[in-house]
Amino acid sequence: MSDAAQPTAAEVRAAAEAVKTALDRHLAAVERRSGEEDPAVYDAFNELAAAAEAYDELLYDRYDEVTPFEIPGEDTLPPYTGPEEPSALSVLIRRDYAVAEPQRLMAQARRVEAADEDAPGAGASGTVHGALGLLFGEFEPDEIASRHKEFGLEEGDSTLWVTAADESAEPGEWLEAPFEQVDPERMVCRFDVSAVFDEEFDDGDEEDEDEDGEAGLPDLDEDLDTDLDEDGEPAPLEADR
């Protein structure tokens, strides 16, 4: 950043004063709060977070220094404002995969295609998108998640959201746009899985090793890999349906 674009010392000082003011307001709101989910405390919290983030950025731009504060990201859930006793709920799931072995994927799809008289037209298994359609049409998403390596897939991030509702939706009510009306204030809980979380446990890996220096967990790759038949293709799969 050029000197002309850098914030002035006065701007940094003003941002620091804004943090002090926001901190006082937050403490005052906490002292006067009317309950665990007082909106005044929530608003004061957001103002303090915004002021601290602005100060941190200006401090870095001007002096190449940072604060010891960790500012919550935008994905922090707001206070729950849904019904205390929900009579209905929605579960939204996203799972990402990479197609790691296209040939394995299409070979498994050919097995489904050969065994299913109602499968799409011949040749659907000859393309990746056609094979995906066959496999996800034949197997439940949870089964694909647990056996993804057999299908030539590699897991990415995944998340599960549970949201509360006052009443069940009418049949077909949200099918045209199933993910557009999620109210974060009605989210009961969410569960995220990502490789970035594994970095937090890297330092503890040595504690899990056995006397031979190897991890004490079973080799999951061997358990999940599919045996190949005499033609070099995966053995037939059995669907739960």
Side-chain angles (χ1 to χ4, degrees), residues 9-50:
E11 289 174 329
V12 179
R13 172 62 62 180
E17 293 298 328
V19 173
K20 298 176 185 178
T21 300
L23 187 61
D24 289 337
R25 290 176 177 172
H26 180 261
L27 177 57
V30 170
E31 292 173 337
R32 297 192 304 265
R33 67 182 178 186
S34 58
E36 293 184 359
E37 298 182 357
D38 190 330
V41 175
Y42 177 65
D43 292 340
F45 173 89
N46 286 337
E47 291 176 6
L48 177 57

Side-chain angles (χ1 to χ4, degrees), residues 61-137:
D61 290 343
R62 176 69 185 183
Y63 300 110
D64 198 25
E65 290 289 345
V66 296
T67 66
F69 311 121
E70 181 178 353
I71 309 302
E74 295 181 357
D75 59 346
T76 301
L77 293 179
Y80 176 74
T81 61
E84 293 185 3
E85 298 183 2
S87 59
L89 59 88
S90 294
V91 178
L92 294 87
I93 300 175
R94 171 173 174 169
R95 296 188 178 115
D96 284 1
Y97 298 96
V99 180
E101 301 180 70
Q103 295 304 319
R104 177 181 287 270
L105 175 76
M106 291 186 287
Q108 300 287 30
R110 285 196 294 272
R111 293 290 185 182
V112 172
E113 196 172 44
D116 188 356
E117 297 179 354
D118 297 326
S125 61
T127 63
V128 170
H129 76 271
L132 288 170
L134 281 168
L135 292 175
F136 276 89

Side-chain angles (χ1 to χ4, degrees), residues 5-239:
Q6 286 184 345
T8 65
E11 289 174 329
V12 179
R13 172 62 62 180
E17 293 298 328
V19 173
K20 298 176 185 178
T21 300
L23 187 61
D24 289 337
R25 290 176 177 172
H26 180 261
L27 177 57
V30 170
E31 292 173 337
R32 297 192 304 265
R33 67 182 178 186
S34 58
E36 293 184 359
E37 298 182 357
D38 190 330
V41 175
Y42 177 65
D43 292 340
F45 173 89
N46 286 337
E47 291 176 6
L48 177 57
E53 184 174 12
Y55 170 63
D56 190 86
E57 291 179 356
L58 291 174
L59 185 70
Y60 182 80
D61 290 343
R62 176 69 185 183
Y63 300 110
D64 198 25
E65 290 289 345
V66 296
T67 66
F69 311 121
E70 181 178 353
I71 309 302
E74 295 181 357
D75 59 346
T76 301
L77 293 179
Y80 176 74
T81 61
E84 293 185 3
E85 298 183 2
S87 59
L89 59 88
S90 294
V91 178
L92 294 87
I93 300 175
R94 171 173 174 169
R95 296 188 178 115
D96 284 1
Y97 298 96
V99 180
E101 301 180 70
Q103 295 304 319
R104 177 181 287 270
L105 175 76
M106 291 186 287
Q108 300 287 30
R110 285 196 294 272
R111 293 290 185 182
V112 172
E113 196 172 44
D116 188 356
E117 297 179 354
D118 297 326
S125 61
T127 63
V128 170
H129 76 271
L132 288 170
L134 281 168
L135 292 175
F136 276 89
E138 181 70 15
F139 297 95
E140 295 288 349
D142 286 345
E143 183 173 5
I144 290 180
S146 65
R147 303 170 61 185
H148 61 279
K149 290 187 177 182
E150 298 179 32
F151 298 99
L153 302 175
E154 181 179 312
E155 282 185 315
D157 289 354
S158 65
T159 187
L160 181 150
W161 297 6
V162 179
T163 62
D166 296 308
E167 57 185 16
S168 299
E170 295 294 329
E173 180 179 340
W174 47 258
L175 290 180
E176 292 185 1
F179 305 111
E180 291 185 357
Q181 298 180 350
V182 179
D183 185 351
E185 294 187 352
R186 284 179 169 252
M187 189 177 299
V188 177
C189 57
R190 65 176 289 179
F191 303 95
D192 302 318
V193 177
S194 175
V196 299
F197 302 140
D198 296 339
E199 298 175 1
E200 301 176 5
F201 303 100
D202 286 346
D203 294 338
D205 287 347
E206 295 181 359
E207 299 178 0
D208 297 331
E209 295 182 354
D210 59 21
E211 296 178 356
D212 297 328
E214 297 181 354
L217 297 176
D219 188 349
L220 298 181
D221 290 345
E222 294 181 3
D223 293 339
L224 291 175
D225 284 344
T226 302
D227 294 333
L228 301 180
D229 60 17
E230 60 183 6
D231 296 326
E233 293 192 344
L237 297 172
E238 295 181 1

